[in-house]
Amino acid sequence: QRRVHGGLHFGFSMASTDPRVPTLEELRDKWSQFAEAYHKHIQPSTAVAARQLASMLRLKDATSVLEVGAGPGVDATDMLPLLSAGTRFVVTDLSPEMVKICKQSLPSTVVVEEANAQELQYETGSFDRYFASLSLQLVPDPDQMLREARRVLQPGGLAGFAVWGRKENSSLFTIQPSVMNKLGIVSTVPPVRSNFHLSDKQELRQRVLNAGFSKALLWYTAIVHDFKDGQEYADIFLTMHPDNRRFLESLSEEDRQKLFKGIAAEADAILDRGDPITLEALLVVAQA
């Protein structure tokens, strides 16, 4: 078994020590580095699930909407036509680079600013809708983020969350660690908490209720990513994130080639049996 330096992003590591929870500072830096690639390669697909979530929030009746963890603003752009004239819309992200991209793509009527989902700068009860797609599983303290969501919502207000679903239904992020395990390639970087840690539907529902929401609906949905073949998947997935690029640099040329070929072959096997490459999402609609 070979041990190599470098790290994996998205909460994957093959090391044996207990996983570490990323700090807010690490998340801010990582997502700022990843902003452009996420905008290009990931959010166009994840936006499909976000639109499904937004459709359940009765946005036409909203008077004030807060989006947290907005990324480059694709979901906010999709929500704009669903809002009635005069609706206050505040779009936020922890990453300054994501906020910069949002400001470039959204109209001036939308307030775009930095915000920490665990400690929001807004007054209690200042919104009647709250939206957070694929950010709850990232923050150091998801329960605190849920409590803050409940705090800023008016009584009866609606919140929508999306998190990563079940690992076994999420080939998008399980192909690489599977191939690494088969090849005996092990990262020496300490592992971080898996982004699948909120994927149990009943456990997440209880956490939402414990945060002060009165009721919650939860369901799984597939986010399908369009790759023409396994080679395209390997080329994009292994190079789009700075952590993965650094990881590749730490490998020998032989191991790099084996990793690319192994990932492409495993992705092709999924596509050849008629299955798309997917990330499962768990969607939540909760009432304050």
Side-chain angles (χ1 to χ4, degrees), residues 26-192:
E26 289 170 332
L27 289 173
R28 182 182 291 111
D29 180 61
K30 178 169 288 190
W31 285 92
S32 287
Q33 292 181 56
F34 189 37
E36 290 290 348
Y38 183 82
H39 190 197
K40 180 179 180 181
H41 296 298
I42 300 295
Q43 196 164 45
S45 297
T46 61
V48 175
R51 285 194 287 271
Q52 183 184 153
L53 182 62
S55 73
M56 295 290 287
L57 295 182
R58 306 170 201 155
L59 291 173
K60 280 294 182 186
D61 300 328
T63 62
S64 51
V65 180
L66 174 64
E67 182 177 7
V68 172
V74 173
D75 299 339
T77 300
D78 287 344
M79 281 191 283
L80 275 172
L82 305 178
L83 303 178
S84 298
T87 299
R88 176 187 173 216
F89 193 15
V90 180
V91 175
T92 71
D93 199 273
L94 181 68
S95 157
E97 190 60 30
M98 291 292 196
V99 169
K100 177 181 175 182
I101 297 173
C102 274
K103 286 182 176 179
Q104 293 169 349
S105 60
L106 293 171
S108 59
T109 53
V110 179
V111 176
V112 182
E113 56 194 9
E114 292 180 41
N116 170 7
Q118 296 182 175
E119 191 176 351
L120 295 169
Q121 60 263 43
Y122 310 109
E123 293 183 5
T124 298
S126 52
F127 298 91
D128 56 17
R129 297 295 186 276
Y130 175 106
F131 184 88
S133 179
L134 300 178
S135 56
L136 181 64
Q137 80 279 354
L138 299 174
V139 299
D141 189 345
D143 295 312
Q144 177 58 24
M145 178 172 167
L146 289 170
R147 287 190 293 268
E148 274 293 271
R150 174 61 188 89
R151 182 186 66 79
V152 300
L153 272 177
Q154 300 168 9
L158 296 175
F161 303 92
V163 300
W164 284 21
R166 296 162 293 191
K167 184 164 60 175
E168 60 267 26
N169 298 330
S170 301
S171 55
L172 181 70
F173 291 119
T174 56
I175 293 174
Q176 180 176 343
S178 171
V179 172
M180 286 179 60
N181 188 53
K182 292 174 183 176
L183 294 175
I185 297 175
V186 181
S187 173
T188 57
V189 171
V192 295

Side-chain angles (χ1 to χ4, degrees), residues 234-254:
D235 289 343
I236 291 175
F237 195 83
L238 280 172
T239 61
M240 68 178 175
H241 195 279
D243 283 358
N244 253 357
R245 292 197 294 271
R246 285 190 289 268
F247 172 67
L248 289 175
E249 291 170 0
S250 72
L251 294 173
S252 68
E253 180 60 28
E254 178 185 3

Side-chain angles (χ1 to χ4, degrees), residues 5-34:
H5 293 282
L8 300 178
H9 70 290
F10 295 121
F12 282 120
S13 174
M14 310 301 288
S16 59
T17 55
D18 290 336
R20 180 180 60 84
V21 177
T23 66
L24 286 172
E25 291 72 22
E26 289 170 332
L27 289 173
R28 182 182 291 111
D29 180 61
K30 178 169 288 190
W31 285 92
S32 287
Q33 292 181 56
F34 189 37

